[in-house]
Amino acid sequence: MELQSILAEIVGKEFVSDRPEEQYLYSRDPGAQPPRKVDYVVMPETEWEVQDIVKLANEYKIPITPMGGGFTTSALAVPVKGGILMDMKRMDKILEVNERGRYAVVEAGVSQGALKGYLEKHYPRLQHCMPEAPPTVTVVGNSLILGHGHLTTRYGINSEFINGMEVVLPDGEICKVGSCSLSPYWFTRGPLPDLSGLFIGWLGTTGIITKMSIRLFPKPNYRDAIAFITDNLDLVPEAVYEIDRIDLVENLFLWGQEKPDWMDHVYLVMVVSGQSEEELEFKKNTYCKLLQQYKEIALVEEIHPALRKRILDVPPFAATAADFKKGGGFEYTGAILPIDKIPEAWRRGKDIARKYSMLYSYAVQVLSDQSVMFAFDYSFNRADIRDIQRTKKAIEKSDRLTLDLGGMVWRPELSAQRSMIKKMNPSTYKLMKNIKKLLDPNDIINQGNWEA
Ligand SMILES: Cc1cc2nc3c(=O)[nH]c(=O)nc-3n(C[C@H](O)[C@H](O)[C@H](O)COP(=O)(O)OP(=O)(O)OC[C@H]3O[C@@H](n4cnc5c(N)ncnc54)[C@H](O)[C@@H]3O)c2cc1C
């Protein structure tokens, strides 16, 4: 029987397609990477359907690329070598919220926006760590790529909040990792060997996650933002260390871009939160006093109300206000860097933007481990081939800069993956290859990623 008909038997014929319209849509993402071929799009509804598709793919030796929201902008959910694109969005159930244990178990297609809405309605005292990305992106996709959100400076990155997973392995076996492998409670990863590391950071190459448990956090009664401005880049690392040392922020990020002119500075933006107005005032005053020691760092006395709202929104501003050019393309590359490298990345990033006739634009998220995710943002016109090529080159140059600075490229597109492999200790890469081979001997899942 033809593959399409067998897929239709598994998921129902309305949930499989090889029509050019779907192939076109799934062959690209919002970034500047060129489109790539998709043969079939399937949308399973259960882990057993995922299992049947994976078994079929092994039989036919056809690759499968799992996709959540498909919004990395580095084309990680666009197949490298064609085959089946598995869109997880029909697996959209929030299976459990354990209010006192503070965790949620979700299926792979649950979006950030859906979980946020559900918690607001049913558990208003709880929240999850929500990325600045469009709300359609998935909780699972974001956690697997070590994404970050509005609580990251305080608590950590989203992969750290994974308590357990259900995975369809590349041979079709359904496996659980974490406490859920032996208990009804999906409440922790330990004290077992931490098998979640076989799936986090692998860019979907080692298995298809069908369920995940993530930690939830208490929701404070009050939140507010304070911002500081400086033109002395060299002061920034010291100020960030000091802010972090006091440990009272919910989120801390830096922000600067060439246009409009008032943005062409370094802004240090802090979100503070608390259970009472007194607590909030105490935190804000503590930071104001702390930063007074730096003559060249000034408090922004009045944050415009519209801007304050955007900073405090969850997800915050960038998801709704990314500065798209006419034609609407956007890609950013994230450098995971030590805090000390911020000034050099900022200066040399500007040179890159200038070289490719672009305007610089940065968002720098302070992570909880004395590092940052430094985003080099580029918007471009999709209808202008030269603009797309310029963007691609600027991305590649920014990635080279990241590696030069001793950093790593976060959720890397293909060429950055190869550059990282080249720089990596050969035994580390050999171990990665051995693990992949052991789990996926037929090289079925997200073929082409993490390949030299
Ligand atoms: C304007 C803008 C702002 C952004 N801001 C942020 C931000 O603040 N923080 C942040 O972290 N990100 C941000 N992003 C990047 C990105 O949108 C998010 O990281 C997003 O959460 C990725 O999730 P996704 O569902 O789109 O993943 P996808 O792109 O669908 O998938 C990501 C990777 O995981 C794999 N994968 C997906 N689902 C599964 C599964 N079920 N099993 C196995 N593998 C799977 C895919 O194959 C792919 O390799 C932003 C993007 C934009 C456009």
Side-chain angles (χ1 to χ4, degrees):
M1 212 192 311
E2 206 198 323
L3 188 64
Q4 158 117 7
S5 316
I6 312 177
L7 287 168
E9 274 184 3
I10 298 170
V11 294
K13 70 175 185 317
E14 61 275 50
F15 298 113
V16 54
S17 171
D18 66 349
R19 291 187 318 177
E21 295 87 330
E22 271 87 31
Q23 287 173 338
Y24 177 90
L25 282 173
Y26 285 89
S27 67
R28 60 201 74 218
D29 81 353
Q33 306 308 312
R36 301 193 288 248
K37 185 166 171 270
V38 175
D39 294 300
Y40 305 95
V41 180
V42 289
M43 297 185 80
E45 196 182 13
T46 65
E47 61 273 29
W48 299 286
E49 290 181 4
V50 174
Q51 179 179 49
D52 286 347
I53 297 165
V54 169
K55 285 185 174 164
L56 187 69
N58 273 284
E59 206 181 307
Y60 279 71
K61 305 278 184 293
I62 181 169
I64 301 181
T65 302
M67 182 188 119
F71 245 107
T72 56
T73 77
S74 47
L76 293 180
V78 179
V80 178
K81 300 188 182 168
I84 299 170
L85 187 294
M86 186 181 282
D87 184 335
M88 307 303 288
K89 285 194 201 69
R90 277 179 79 216
M91 298 189 65
D92 61 356
K93 289 186 229 29
I94 297 168
L95 299 167
E96 181 190 351
V97 172
N98 188 314
E99 190 167 14
R100 287 157 79 89
R102 288 213 306 254
Y103 65 83
V105 183
V106 298
E107 287 189 329
V110 170
S111 71
Q112 299 284 351
L115 181 59
K116 176 174 184 264
Y118 186 86
L119 292 175
E120 278 170 358
K121 185 161 175 204
H122 302 285
Y123 301 93
R125 283 154 51 112
L126 292 178
Q127 59 178 336
H128 77 292
C129 181
M130 180 126 175
E132 216 167 310
T136 50
V137 306
T138 59
V139 173
V140 168
N142 182 264
S143 307
L144 290 176
I145 57 165
L146 302 98
H148 46 270
H150 76 293
L151 302 173
T152 277
T153 311
R154 174 172 296 168
Y155 295 114
I157 55 172
N158 290 341
S159 54
E160 293 173 63
F161 309 148
I162 298 174
N163 289 331
M165 299 183 233
E166 178 187 84
V167 189
V168 177
L169 296 174
D171 63 1
E173 193 155 337
I174 301 181
C175 168
K176 285 183 172 165
V177 293
S179 57
C180 62
S181 64
L182 53 89
S183 154
Y185 306 112
W186 293 57
F187 67 125
T188 181
R189 264 142 81 161
L192 306 165
D194 192 358
L195 298 177
S196 57
L198 293 173
F199 309 101
I200 297 169
W202 283 86
L203 310 177
T205 55
T206 48
I208 299 177
I209 312 309
T210 43
K211 299 188 182 94
M212 183 180 278
S213 166
I214 58 154
R215 270 173 70 194
L216 302 174
F217 301 93
K219 201 164 171 180
N221 294 332
Y222 297 91
R223 291 171 81 234
D224 203 356
I226 40 175
F228 295 83
I229 182 171
T230 185
D231 285 317
N232 187 342
L233 261 175
D234 297 314
L235 276 182
V236 169
E238 189 55 31
V240 170
Y241 285 127
E242 283 295 292
I243 293 166
D244 200 46
R245 195 174 59 79
I246 291 187
D247 200 19
L248 295 175
V249 279
E250 177 179 292
N251 204 16
L252 166 61
F253 56 91
L254 314 181
W255 194 22
Q257 60 186 48
E258 202 151 342
K259 291 285 170 197
D261 292 343
W262 66 267
M263 283 287 298
D264 191 9
H265 305 280
V266 184
Y267 284 86
L268 286 108
V269 184
M270 273 172 262
V271 176
V272 287
S273 57
Q275 296 309 334
S276 65
E277 287 187 58
E278 291 75 34
E279 186 185 341
L280 205 61
E281 283 313 303
F282 168 77
K283 288 181 177 174
K284 286 199 295 186
N285 288 334
T286 305
Y287 283 118
C288 289
K289 277 193 207 131
L290 175 82
L291 291 175
Q292 265 171 13
Q293 64 179 299
Y294 303 103
K295 295 214 165 36
E296 291 173 79
I297 300 182
L299 175 70
V300 177
E301 297 284 352
E302 201 61 53
I303 304 178
H304 190 283
L307 190 58
R308 183 182 296 274
K309 181 179 175 314
R310 281 192 164 172
I311 292 170
L312 292 174
D313 272 350
V314 181
F317 57 91
T320 48
D323 190 14
F324 290 105
K325 268 190 188 169
K326 184 179 175 206
F330 177 70
E331 180 162 344
Y332 75 98
T333 182
I336 305 296
L337 293 172
I339 288 171
D340 285 334
K341 297 292 181 186
I342 294 171
E344 200 176 343
W346 199 287
R347 290 192 181 102
R348 289 174 63 183
K350 274 184 172 181
D351 294 340
I352 294 172
R354 215 168 291 132
K355 181 170 164 94
Y356 294 103
S357 316
M358 302 176 97
L359 300 176
Y360 88 86
S361 171
Y362 306 136
V364 184
Q365 169 71 54
V366 178
L367 309 176
S368 63
D369 63 354
Q370 310 301 307
S371 67
V372 292
M373 193 287 296
F374 191 115
F376 301 91
D377 300 334
Y378 300 104
S379 71
F380 60 93
N381 182 349
R382 289 191 158 283
D384 180 344
I385 289 286
R386 290 215 326 265
D387 210 15
I388 296 176
Q389 275 160 359
R390 263 203 303 269
T391 306
K392 247 185 126 266
K393 285 201 181 122
I395 293 274
E396 281 164 19
K397 267 265 182 268
S398 309
D399 291 343
R400 223 166 297 148
L401 168 62
T402 301
L403 296 182
D404 271 5
L405 293 175
M408 285 166 290
V409 183
W410 172 60
R411 47 119 187 87
E413 39 87 22
L414 287 177
S415 69
Q417 290 173 32
R418 287 189 203 115
S419 306
M420 285 207 281
I421 290 169
K422 229 176 177 173
K423 231 190 143 194
M424 198 181 273
N425 175 328
S427 307
T428 310
Y429 186 56
K430 192 169 151 205
L431 178 63
M432 282 173 68
K433 292 287 283 180
N434 287 343
I435 291 169
K436 166 75 177 168
K437 185 122 194 99
L438 196 70
L439 286 173
D440 188 7
N442 291 327
D443 193 13
I444 292 298
I445 312 289
N446 216 353
Q447 225 181 59
N449 282 282
W450 284 135
E451 276 182 16

